[in-house]
Each structure stands twice: as structure tokens, then as C-alpha cells.
Amino acid sequence: MRTLIAVVLAFAALPLVPVPADAVGTMAEWNDVASRLVRCNIQYPRDPRARDIPAGGVVVVVKFDVGADGYVGPISAVRSSGIAVFDEAALVAVKLSSPLPPPPVPDNRTVSVQVPIRFMPPPVPFLASPIPRSPCRLRFRR
């Protein structure tokens, strides 16, 4: 337990790693950065219904629009995991990621994005210890 707390505290002390705006020159690079930012904000649900998932995990595919300013528009689950708490956690991860880097498209168009999000069973007995937030500290800064 002490080791887990030490690891969580070590990650919490890490500085935010900014993603410079010029790091996303092509659409493929932008998709990669946007997907990583969304995945960094995934929080495993603490709901008791989340403890009995298959060993391979569950996948939620979310779809959202990103405007020219990087702000996320309407968000929806294109493919549900079948478990509502995971679907909601995936939508929250997208909301927490806004704003994203502006997409590299001409004429300030809106870009539609689909990101698959996989939830794996927790590595420790469920609710035996706090489930730490993702150690990823990636954030977009303008």
C-alpha cells in the first residue's frame, strides 16, 4: 500500500508537459496528439458495477467535433461498452481534454474525431485501495 501511495504521489508531483501548437503539423499527427490527450484524462469508474468486466476489458468509441479554436463540441458514444458507467467515463475524458490543439485544416473548419477508449480491469482488488488517476500529465497549452 505504501508503494502505491508513493507512486501516486510521485506522478502527482510531475510537472505538466505542454504540447506546443506547432507539434501538430499534419492531420495524422493531430489525431495522435488528440487521442493521447483524451486517453490521459480517463478515470476508471469507482462504481461497483465496474468491477465485473471481462479480462480483456471493454471498449467505448466516442465521437466528437473539434472547432478551429480547439474546443470540443457535441460528444457521443458511437459504440457503447454495454456498461453505462464506462460510457459516461469515456465522455467525461473527452470533456476534460478540451481545449485540444487547433486542428490543421484550412478555412477554420470543424473536424469530427472518433477515439476508441479501452477500460481494463483494475490491477488491485477493487476498492481495496484508491484507484489512481492516469499518470499521464500531458496538457495542451496555448
Side-chain angles (χ1 to χ4, degrees):
M1 181 68 173
R2 289 182 185 162
T3 304
L4 178 63
I5 292 171
V7 170
V8 170
L9 292 176
F11 282 123
L14 290 175
L16 294 177
V17 178
V19 177
D22 59 354
V24 289
T26 67
M27 201 59 196
E29 291 170 341
W30 183 84
N31 278 327
D32 181 54
V33 169
S35 296
R36 284 189 298 136
L37 286 168
V38 169
R39 288 187 181 104
C40 284
N41 285 301
I42 295 171
Q43 297 178 13
Y44 196 90
R46 294 179 183 267
D47 191 293
R49 293 173 287 176
R51 80 176 91 160
D52 297 323
I53 64 172
V58 295
V59 177
V60 180
V61 179
V62 292
K63 179 180 179 183
F64 54 95
D65 294 334
V66 179
D69 57 359
Y71 284 90
V72 173
I75 308 166
S76 62
V78 175
R79 190 173 87 200
S80 172
S81 66
I83 305 171
V85 292
F86 290 110
D87 296 347
E88 183 61 31
L91 299 177
V92 168
V94 175
K95 289 176 189 174
L96 292 174
S97 302
S98 187
L100 294 168
V105 292
D107 303 329
N108 295 330
R109 290 182 290 156
T110 299
V111 174
S112 187
V113 182
Q114 285 190 20
V115 176
I117 298 175
R118 179 179 300 276
F119 291 92
M120 298 298 291
V124 294
F126 192 79
L127 297 179
S129 63
I131 300 171
R133 197 163 172 230
S134 170
C136 185
R137 304 283 293 165
L138 194 65
R139 297 283 184 262
F140 173 68
R141 291 193 183 156
R142 293 187 184 264

